[in-house]
Amino acid sequence: MKRYNTTPISGMQELLPKSQRLFNSLKRTIEQTHERHGFQNIETPTIDRMEILLAKAGGDTEKQIYKVIKTAETADEADQALRFDHTVPLARYVVEHENDLAFPFKVSQIGRNFRGERPQKGRFREFYQCDIDVIGRNNLPIEYDADIITTLSTALSQIISESLEIRLSNRKLLSGVLEEHKITEQSAEIFAIFDHVAKVPLEATRAAIDDLPIPDVAKTLLGQLVVMRGTPSDVLEKLGLLKVSSATFKEGLSELSSVVSFLSDMNAPVEIVIDLGIVRGLDYYTGTVFETFVKNYEQIGSVCSGGRYENLASNFTEHQLPGVGGSIGLSRLFYVLTASGLIDTEGQDATKQPIDLAIIPISPADYAAAYQLMGQLPGLNIDIIFAGKNLGKKLDHASKISNVGVVIGQDEAGAIQNGELDRLEVKYLNTFSDQTKFISLKSYLDKHADA
Amino acid sequence: MKRYNTTPISGMQELLPKSQRLFNSLKRTIEQTHERHGFQNIETPTIDRMEILLAKAGGDTEKQIYKVIKTAETADEADQALRFDHTVPLARYVVEHENDLAFPFKVSQIGRNFRGERPQKGRFREFYQCDIDVIGRNNLPIEYDADIITTLSTALSQIISESLEIRLSNRKLLSGVLEEHKITEQSAEIFAIFDHVAKVPLEATRAAIDDLPIPDVAKTLLGQLVVMRGTPSDVLEKLGLLKVSSATFKEGLSELSSVVSFLSDMNAPVEIVIDLGIVRGLDYYTGTVFETFVKNYEQIGSVCSGGRYENLASNFTEHQLPGVGGSIGLSRLFYVLTASGLIDTEGQDATKQPIDLAIIPISPADYAAAYQLMGQLPGLNIDIIFAGKNLGKKLDHASKISNVGVVIGQDEAGAIQNGELDRLEVKYLNTFSDQTKFISLKSYLDKHADA
């Protein structure tokens, strides 16, 4: 017999049923929260045209893309590939369906994306991302920046047991300073210094600023900004006192201040820190930028990030489609949360077995009663056990998939048919100290309803 | 500006938000029904090793497979591909995780599969399939055949407004006749004649049987079987009267009779027809086989089918893993149900807009109240409208995504802050005859709770 390697391909996340149930519960919580906040779910095809996917991307992304080819084709002919994020297919979708959508278009996407990266712990080649975006036509009120942050942090607060911290900034602040001091030529270099401030010693950041070919007054200002970090009221006050007259800077300050104020109106379940070191890469974002951290667990990195962009689909249309969005990398998040014990188990039933209740009919004469009982227990995932030569074997199987079981024999079947459910008993299948422990079905259901 | 083709690739199903909401509702109903009946959800990677995917397949499947290659590779090196069904990855999964699973393993898979077929109406290259299977180790009670059919038909009965009919057979009946008359060499030909009986005129079937190089007594018997179709009691009686002494035939008859009896115990919401013309292709299935039709809409074809197989993973392990399973082709089903008006709209909210309720704060002073109101209306998908220069524009936007809205001005904000929700009014946004129709929020919520 030929031997096959049955492990999943390296870099793929494949879960056992119990973990899958927990993963699905997290996904469902995020999905429902996004929809509850008015984001409309869409799904784009996994496969798209290469020229669409690569219209904006380049560099690393191009190297990581998975081309797809049918048998008759050769690699050079491949003009289709797997999507590597939700943003590019969204741009295509919005342009294609522009006349059928109402703007601002609040959109939610949850699905698998693909990047042929070198696999690492918690980094997958096929991974779930949960994105929300608001796309405007020509303009988009700043309120939606707060709406995005509120919605994402509401979802995260339901699945993570520890407090969350949003680190918030607005790229127009730094852009305004560069304009004011006519040093926009050093823009990429300066944004990169800010982007790295959390990762290098402060002296390195100071030295990098000092080495820039820019006026001393600009160096001083950048030195102040790059370490500016604190509560919204403190930082907004400090920013207001800076001697910067650039309109872009003022716009950034006003936007940042509005987002903070709206987040308070919206009662976002998150602590806000303004942090000028948050930049989110070198291009794409143009205004609000944010990252989300789990308090006391900063080492796991940002669990959700995003920001405002000037134009979603500049490659595909001349229409101006400004947007704001954010993304939860669910596969990585699930990995780090389970590794760190940070999943909110009360809400997410992390201790649950794959099945809520096993029903064990002793003989075929009890099948109809077993099904009748199932019909009277809505909301539970129930496995009716048919396999096993005797009751012991059946209970043994049941104990592997469920914590509790109900055995249906002649008496119990009669009770079910007479509507006397209070005569039934639930058996705890995994109570090792006391294997025979029973409670009444009613008390069990009351307990289950509380949980 | 370079012009891009922004239509989805041919053969892909891309939906607008309102249709997507309906699609998701169908998917969720199937998913919940499967889990409710004790099937444990798993997800396998979309990408798997070519040798795994092709271990059993061949012919057309191999031609339709999508290879995936990274940029540096050439097509010949491609050793990975997109899964084309759920069965092959399930076989790999069960072998890989055998020691961590409890058998019989009741498993549910819902996801996208890929086949590079020529696109046709209702036939997609990337399509959702919803599979359930029960996998035994060494043996698997016949009860699970009925469990599969009951679960799938319960799911379908919740999304299809018309009655369902299961056409049921057992391949051991025909195999037994072939054994008895020592005509197993004609097996492929004879199964093919049965498989086509519904698609060709009866005379053609009779002629094909007559042309077989087999004894007349076998011809007579096959002629009787190939048109045998009717209620379980009628057909089981007729089969019992046939003079066939083969043990395989008797086993098939006993299994078929058990499945019918268990379907009645399980109260499967479906009319059962035994139809010896149901064969389900030429190999793979070995016992129970079934197809599901919508009554009076037989022309849309089977909406769900499956059966019993002797061994899930004979290519990957020497362990015997018998199984029974069935599959709903959701993308195709959604297409035919919407085209035929067959979706059960009461259960599935087909008339719903993407958003249940729009909340329209008149000014930023009303934002906090708007969010407070949202918090008091759980279970609704709510969009708080920030865009639009004036109330008219805001209502206009709201009317495109929701049927109803609540405008929040100073008075309403006061009412919300005082907990006087009964003072709020809901406005029907799309009542063209009477644009200004209002009802109280309370009556609206009462109506919504009823729906």
Side-chain angles (χ1 to χ4, degrees), chain A residues 27-50:
Chain A
K27 177 152 74 84
R28 186 79 188 133
T29 298
I30 295 170
E31 191 177 0
Q32 281 180 330
T33 305
H34 290 178
E35 291 175 10
R36 161 100 174 111
H37 284 245
F39 290 85
Q40 303 168 34
N41 182 255
I42 65 159
E43 282 193 335
T44 62
T46 306
I47 304 177
D48 218 322
R49 292 191 179 78
M50 188 80 84

Short mmCIF file of all heavy atoms in Angstrom, two decimals, chain A residues 27-50:
data_model
loop_
_atom_site.label_atom_id
_atom_site.label_comp_id
_atom_site.label_asym_id
_atom_site.label_seq_id
_atom_site.Cartn_x
_atom_site.Cartn_y
_atom_site.Cartn_z
N LYS A 27 -15.93 33.27 15.87
CA LYS A 27 -16.25 33.81 14.54
C LYS A 27 -17.69 34.33 14.53
O LYS A 27 -17.98 35.41 14.02
CB LYS A 27 -16.05 32.72 13.49
CG LYS A 27 -16.43 33.13 12.08
CD LYS A 27 -15.63 32.37 11.02
CE LYS A 27 -16.06 30.94 10.84
NZ LYS A 27 -17.21 30.78 9.92
N ARG A 28 -18.59 33.54 15.11
CA ARG A 28 -20.00 33.91 15.12
C ARG A 28 -20.22 35.18 15.96
O ARG A 28 -21.03 36.03 15.59
CB ARG A 28 -20.81 32.73 15.67
CG ARG A 28 -22.30 32.91 15.62
CD ARG A 28 -22.87 32.65 14.23
NE ARG A 28 -24.29 33.01 14.18
CZ ARG A 28 -24.84 33.74 13.22
NH1 ARG A 28 -24.14 34.16 12.19
NH2 ARG A 28 -26.12 34.03 13.25
N THR A 29 -19.50 35.31 17.07
CA THR A 29 -19.64 36.50 17.90
C THR A 29 -19.21 37.75 17.11
O THR A 29 -19.88 38.77 17.12
CB THR A 29 -18.77 36.38 19.18
OG1 THR A 29 -19.25 35.26 19.93
CG2 THR A 29 -18.83 37.62 20.03
N ILE A 30 -18.10 37.63 16.40
CA ILE A 30 -17.61 38.77 15.60
C ILE A 30 -18.62 39.09 14.50
O ILE A 30 -19.01 40.24 14.29
CB ILE A 30 -16.22 38.45 15.01
CG1 ILE A 30 -15.19 38.31 16.13
CG2 ILE A 30 -15.79 39.52 14.02
CD1 ILE A 30 -13.83 37.76 15.67
N GLU A 31 -19.07 38.05 13.81
CA GLU A 31 -20.01 38.21 12.70
C GLU A 31 -21.30 38.90 13.17
O GLU A 31 -21.78 39.86 12.56
CB GLU A 31 -20.34 36.80 12.18
CG GLU A 31 -21.08 36.71 10.91
CD GLU A 31 -21.27 35.23 10.49
OE1 GLU A 31 -20.81 34.31 11.23
OE2 GLU A 31 -21.87 35.01 9.44
N GLN A 32 -21.84 38.42 14.28
CA GLN A 32 -23.10 38.98 14.78
C GLN A 32 -22.91 40.41 15.26
O GLN A 32 -23.79 41.25 15.05
CB GLN A 32 -23.63 38.13 15.94
CG GLN A 32 -24.33 36.87 15.44
CD GLN A 32 -24.88 36.01 16.57
OE1 GLN A 32 -24.31 36.00 17.67
NE2 GLN A 32 -25.95 35.29 16.31
N THR A 33 -21.77 40.70 15.89
CA THR A 33 -21.54 42.06 16.37
C THR A 33 -21.44 43.03 15.18
O THR A 33 -22.01 44.11 15.20
CB THR A 33 -20.25 42.12 17.22
OG1 THR A 33 -20.37 41.16 18.27
CG2 THR A 33 -20.04 43.49 17.81
N HIS A 34 -20.74 42.60 14.14
CA HIS A 34 -20.62 43.46 12.96
C HIS A 34 -21.99 43.72 12.34
O HIS A 34 -22.32 44.85 11.98
CB HIS A 34 -19.69 42.81 11.93
CG HIS A 34 -18.26 42.78 12.36
ND1 HIS A 34 -17.26 42.20 11.60
CD2 HIS A 34 -17.64 43.27 13.46
CE1 HIS A 34 -16.11 42.34 12.22
NE2 HIS A 34 -16.31 42.96 13.35
N GLU A 35 -22.80 42.69 12.24
CA GLU A 35 -24.12 42.86 11.61
C GLU A 35 -25.04 43.67 12.51
O GLU A 35 -25.80 44.53 12.04
CB GLU A 35 -24.72 41.49 11.28
CG GLU A 35 -23.93 40.84 10.14
CD GLU A 35 -24.37 39.43 9.80
OE1 GLU A 35 -25.42 38.98 10.29
OE2 GLU A 35 -23.63 38.78 9.02
N ARG A 36 -24.96 43.42 13.79
CA ARG A 36 -25.74 44.17 14.77
C ARG A 36 -25.46 45.68 14.67
O ARG A 36 -26.33 46.50 14.88
CB ARG A 36 -25.38 43.62 16.15
CG ARG A 36 -25.71 44.47 17.31
CD ARG A 36 -26.98 44.00 17.97
NE ARG A 36 -27.22 44.75 19.19
CZ ARG A 36 -28.21 45.62 19.33
NH1 ARG A 36 -29.07 45.83 18.36
NH2 ARG A 36 -28.37 46.28 20.46
N HIS A 37 -24.22 46.03 14.35
CA HIS A 37 -23.84 47.44 14.22
C HIS A 37 -24.08 47.97 12.81
O HIS A 37 -23.52 48.99 12.44
CB HIS A 37 -22.38 47.64 14.65
CG HIS A 37 -22.18 47.61 16.14
ND1 HIS A 37 -21.75 48.68 16.87
CD2 HIS A 37 -22.39 46.61 17.04
CE1 HIS A 37 -21.68 48.35 18.15
NE2 HIS A 37 -22.06 47.10 18.28
N GLY A 38 -24.85 47.26 12.02
CA GLY A 38 -25.26 47.80 10.73
C GLY A 38 -24.31 47.53 9.58
O GLY A 38 -24.47 48.11 8.50
N PHE A 39 -23.33 46.64 9.77
CA PHE A 39 -22.43 46.30 8.67
C PHE A 39 -23.05 45.15 7.87
O PHE A 39 -23.46 44.14 8.44
CB PHE A 39 -21.04 45.94 9.19
CG PHE A 39 -20.30 47.14 9.73
CD1 PHE A 39 -20.50 47.56 11.04
CD2 PHE A 39 -19.49 47.89 8.90
CE1 PHE A 39 -19.87 48.70 11.53
CE2 PHE A 39 -18.85 49.03 9.38
CZ PHE A 39 -19.04 49.44 10.70
N GLN A 40 -23.14 45.33 6.56
CA GLN A 40 -23.80 44.36 5.68
C GLN A 40 -22.77 43.34 5.21
O GLN A 40 -21.76 43.70 4.62
CB GLN A 40 -24.42 45.08 4.48
CG GLN A 40 -25.41 46.17 4.90
CD GLN A 40 -25.81 47.07 3.74
OE1 GLN A 40 -25.91 46.63 2.60
NE2 GLN A 40 -26.05 48.34 4.04
N ASN A 41 -23.06 42.08 5.45
CA ASN A 41 -22.11 41.04 5.05
C ASN A 41 -22.13 40.80 3.55
O ASN A 41 -23.18 40.76 2.92
CB ASN A 41 -22.44 39.73 5.78
CG ASN A 41 -21.46 38.62 5.44
OD1 ASN A 41 -21.78 37.71 4.68
ND2 ASN A 41 -20.26 38.71 5.96
N ILE A 42 -20.94 40.69 2.96
CA ILE A 42 -20.82 40.22 1.58
C ILE A 42 -19.70 39.19 1.52
O ILE A 42 -18.88 39.10 2.43
CB ILE A 42 -20.49 41.36 0.57
CG1 ILE A 42 -19.09 41.94 0.85
CG2 ILE A 42 -21.56 42.43 0.55
CD1 ILE A 42 -18.49 42.68 -0.33
N GLU A 43 -19.70 38.41 0.43
CA GLU A 43 -18.60 37.48 0.18
C GLU A 43 -18.14 37.65 -1.26
O GLU A 43 -18.96 37.61 -2.17
CB GLU A 43 -19.06 36.03 0.37
CG GLU A 43 -19.16 35.63 1.82
CD GLU A 43 -19.30 34.13 1.99
OE1 GLU A 43 -19.80 33.47 1.06
OE2 GLU A 43 -18.93 33.64 3.04
N THR A 44 -16.85 37.83 -1.42
CA THR A 44 -16.31 37.86 -2.78
C THR A 44 -15.72 36.49 -3.09
O THR A 44 -15.41 35.73 -2.17
CB THR A 44 -15.20 38.93 -2.89
OG1 THR A 44 -14.13 38.58 -2.01
CG2 THR A 44 -15.73 40.31 -2.54
N PRO A 45 -15.57 36.15 -4.38
CA PRO A 45 -14.96 34.85 -4.70
C PRO A 45 -13.55 34.74 -4.14
O PRO A 45 -12.83 35.75 -4.03
CB PRO A 45 -14.92 34.86 -6.24
CG PRO A 45 -15.97 35.84 -6.65
CD PRO A 45 -15.97 36.90 -5.58
N THR A 46 -13.16 33.53 -3.79
CA THR A 46 -11.79 33.27 -3.33
C THR A 46 -10.79 33.49 -4.47
O THR A 46 -9.68 33.94 -4.25
CB THR A 46 -11.68 31.81 -2.85
OG1 THR A 46 -12.69 31.58 -1.88
CG2 THR A 46 -10.33 31.52 -2.24
N ILE A 47 -11.24 33.14 -5.69
CA ILE A 47 -10.37 33.28 -6.86
C ILE A 47 -10.72 34.57 -7.60
O ILE A 47 -11.89 34.85 -7.82
CB ILE A 47 -10.56 32.08 -7.82
CG1 ILE A 47 -10.30 30.76 -7.08
CG2 ILE A 47 -9.66 32.20 -9.05
CD1 ILE A 47 -10.54 29.52 -7.95
N ASP A 48 -9.71 35.35 -7.93
CA ASP A 48 -9.96 36.57 -8.70
C ASP A 48 -8.89 36.70 -9.79
O ASP A 48 -7.95 35.92 -9.83
CB ASP A 48 -9.97 37.79 -7.77
CG ASP A 48 -11.03 38.81 -8.19
OD1 ASP A 48 -11.23 39.01 -9.42
OD2 ASP A 48 -11.66 39.40 -7.30
N ARG A 49 -9.08 37.70 -10.67
CA ARG A 49 -8.10 37.90 -11.73
C ARG A 49 -6.79 38.41 -11.14
O ARG A 49 -6.77 39.30 -10.30
CB ARG A 49 -8.61 38.94 -12.73
CG ARG A 49 -9.79 38.47 -13.53
CD ARG A 49 -10.11 39.40 -14.70
NE ARG A 49 -11.26 38.83 -15.39
CZ ARG A 49 -12.50 38.95 -14.95
NH1 ARG A 49 -12.75 39.68 -13.86
NH2 ARG A 49 -13.49 38.37 -15.58
N MET A 50 -5.72 37.87 -11.64
CA MET A 50 -4.39 38.30 -11.19
C MET A 50 -4.21 39.81 -11.34
O MET A 50 -3.67 40.48 -10.46
CB MET A 50 -3.36 37.57 -12.04
CG MET A 50 -1.96 37.75 -11.59
SD MET A 50 -1.62 36.69 -10.21
CE MET A 50 -1.23 35.19 -11.10
#
